[in-house]
Amino acid sequence: MEKLHQHTHGCTHCSCNNPVLEVLKEELFSAENLTKINPGSGKATHEKPQTLMVSGGIIRPMIGGSTDTVEAIGFADGKVVVTGEKKEVVKYMKKHHPKHQKKELTATQTLLPGLIEPHVHMVPTAMMNGWLDLSPFEGQNLKAVYDLNSVGTIINAHIPPKILGAVILGRGLDPSLMPFKEKDGKKELITIDNVVLDSINAKTPMMLLSASMHTLYLNTMALEHVFKNNTDIQTEYKTVEKYIIETKGQLQEGLQMTPALKTVKLQIIAMSIEINRYLTDLFNTANSRGVTFMYDAGLNKGSETLLTKYFETHTELVRTGGAYLCSSQEDVDKLDHYKEPDRYKPVYNGHIKVVSDGSNQGLTGYQSAPYLCNPVDNTGVFNFPQSGIPAHTIPPSYNTLINTVVAVKGWPLMVHANGDQAVTFAINAYQRTLAQYKGPELRNRIEHCSLLTSDQITIMLQMGVSPSFLIGHVGYWGYAFKEVIFGEKAQMLDLCGSTLAAGMRITLHSDNEVSPLGPLRMMEQSITRIMEKNPKDIEVLNSAERITPEQALIAVTYDAAWQCYADKWVGSLNAGYFADFVILEQDPLSLNTPSLQYMKMRDIPVLETWVGGIPVYVNNKSTEGAAEKQVLFSDNG
């Protein structure tokens, strides 16, 4: 890997700022392409919501954020109509909805509000569904074997037809979750370059996007393809040999990735025609894991239009909202003044999103001190120019942008900040702008908020700024952070326990597709903080930061809805709220596994998922004689 330097805003990538989407957004979201994706003007067909009373088992409506149980709950017209003691619910339903159906849960079956993913990237995830999956995940678990050999096996089993311009396009490649290498007695992450990729396949050009999305890896054939088909590269490098030698097939950030991606844009656009089917697949997966609400952390005009058209012609399997991504002062200056959403509509806007740095596991999160691993003296990338000022001084352009969003335009803000220096800058910028802000209280957030101190927690609490933690940093990547990337600094990761103890409200997110969808899995990782990549032992990262099952459940329901400005409709089952709920085979608050308590929470079967009083997912265990797993909706809505 080449040494990373500071760049201007917009060139660091993570799921929050997908490079493929940035390069091709004009073509992908052109009127012609949207017509191909959404032909005709068909309207979504809607089932009639069921009128239903559920009793028995364990029912936790999470009203007011309480995990207390009730005996029964009633639904009608797509809303909750009554909760409480069974005799009172029976009485109410008989009087107001005499033809209602009844469902009796078994002793361990558990009804909860639909689970919430408060930070995902729906369109980029769906758009790249057709790319070869080279990620370290199998479902919600890390693969038992994940190395260059296993990745090579997948690649060579999926060679595309030898037609003009066909390039292997892969996604999710993650060197940080491959076995470490030893160099001079020191552990290092594996290095991937064109020579390494040639050892996998030297005959077919391939472009493999890293999981952090800050690097595009190319084999020699792909480098030759890019040089041949991009005149800008020819002008800059003069010879293909120089291009290969200088880049080594490691194209970093937008400046280097853009020319390569442009040479395969027709291939990518052709794949994107299937995006509606891919979105349906994504939402089916979400439903199968109990998710009924997804908040997109990086909408633009194109993706917002695409999603809106999707929901006009497809069944609404999940509720959706999101944050509008602003990448420049010009973007922010164009904003209208904020108005809090007062009614639900698909893909409503709740926040503005600003991406300040990159990914810690991708070694681009902006740090106060260099990463422990190679490249040497790498402190990551901050997306705002710092020329002429000390490295630890907040850039004036960053302050101005955030001040315009919050103090001038009155918008709630989500700042992506991973590295400890990026988190410090985000907190300092919030302090300055909130000192000038005069409007109603805003639900400002810091996304990932990976590395925190106790003093920063106090300041965030005082400002009313809440964190949303990518908890997979602990569960999936914690071992790599501790052993190779950060050392002792890894103890600062995802301080869930400390933030809750201080009185803050927190949420847990997947940043899908950076990590798999699954609130039960995220709950489990916050409760156990087990580093799953440790090959020998069960090891916990900073056990003092473990939280209780009750706290974890609140984080993926009640507080997640609050953080996303959706708490008038979802996150709890108050009367008048949407009939969005999930039925699990077991209660996640009552698991009894003494030695590895709660380690199997992600494996609790989701029996049914309901949205607006309509079942959108049914597992065979909830209905006798059903197929192994039933997805109720396909791409035709």
Side-chain angles (χ1 to χ4, degrees), residues 85 97 107 187 340 612 624:
E85 294 182 9
H97 305 283
K187 293 178 181 176
E340 183 177 330
E624 290 184 10

Side-chain angles (χ1 to χ4, degrees), residues 134-331:
L134 303 176
S135 76
F137 302 108
E138 188 168 0
Q140 298 185 70
N141 296 313
L142 290 171
K143 292 178 178 177
V145 176
Y146 183 69
D147 54 23
L148 288 173
N149 288 333
S150 66
V151 167
T153 299
I154 295 171
I155 290 172
N156 288 316
H158 296 85
I159 304 299
K162 290 188 176 181
I163 59 175
L164 186 63
V167 175
I168 297 172
L169 298 177
R171 58 179 168 83
L173 188 63
D174 196 341
S176 69
L177 287 175
M178 292 183 179
F180 309 137
K181 63 180 182 179
E182 294 277 346
K183 186 175 182 180
D184 300 326
K186 179 184 176 186
K187 293 178 181 176
E188 291 285 352
L189 301 183
I190 193 167
T191 298
I192 297 176
D193 58 18
N194 65 303
V195 175
V196 170
L197 294 184
D198 287 347
S199 70
I200 291 173
N201 188 314
K203 296 180 180 180
T204 308
M206 54 186 176
M207 300 183 185
L208 312 179
L209 189 62
S210 68
S212 66
M213 297 189 188
H214 88 101
T215 305
L216 187 67
Y217 299 105
L218 279 67
N219 66 351
T220 302
M221 282 284 288
L223 289 166
E224 292 172 350
H225 169 88
V226 173
F227 188 86
K228 179 182 177 181
N229 292 283
N230 192 296
T231 54
D232 291 337
I233 292 296
Q234 294 170 16
T235 300
E236 181 177 355
Y237 289 93
K238 308 304 180 187
T239 68
V240 67
E241 289 79 14
K242 187 178 180 184
Y243 183 50
I244 293 169
I245 290 169
E246 292 197 9
T247 67
K248 299 181 178 66
Q250 303 167 330
L251 305 188
Q252 306 281 7
E253 319 302 349
L255 189 65
Q256 291 185 332
M257 284 193 278
T258 298
L261 291 169
K262 283 185 175 179
T263 68
V264 292
K265 70 178 183 180
L266 294 179
Q267 193 174 340
I268 298 172
I269 290 170
M271 295 165 113
S272 76
I273 300 301
E274 297 292 319
I275 196 168
N276 276 347
R277 178 166 64 87
Y278 296 152
L279 282 168
T280 300
D281 290 345
L282 175 67
F283 298 146
N284 282 331
T285 297
N287 292 158
S288 73
R289 295 175 187 170
V291 175
T292 60
F293 182 96
M294 299 171 77
Y295 200 67
D296 195 291
L299 294 169
N300 59 25
K301 289 296 183 187
S303 59
E304 196 172 357
T305 299
L306 190 149
L307 284 168
T308 299
K309 286 182 175 292
Y310 173 90
F311 287 117
E312 288 174 357
T313 56
H314 293 72
T315 301
E316 190 176 16
L317 302 178
V318 296
R319 312 283 180 186
T320 52
Y324 190 79
L325 180 65
C326 287
S327 299
S328 67
Q329 186 64 40
E330 182 182 8
D331 290 343

Side-chain angles (χ1 to χ4, degrees), residues 295 299 301 304 322-326 331-341 348-354 401-414 430 433-434 437 439-445 565:
Y295 200 67
L299 294 169
K301 289 296 183 187
E304 196 172 357
Y324 190 79
L325 180 65
C326 287
D331 290 343
V332 172
D333 289 338
K334 292 177 182 177
L335 291 173
D336 294 328
H337 284 272
Y338 179 69
K339 183 181 179 184
E340 183 177 330
Y348 71 90
N349 283 143
H351 289 81
I352 295 301
K353 174 70 177 299
V354 171
L401 185 143
I402 288 180
N403 186 71
T404 307
V405 172
V406 178
V408 178
K409 301 289 187 173
W411 275 85
L413 181 63
M414 295 166 57
Y430 269 130
T433 195
L434 289 173
Y437 175 70
E441 184 177 348
L442 299 176
R443 299 172 193 178
N444 293 311
R445 299 165 49 169
Y565 284 95

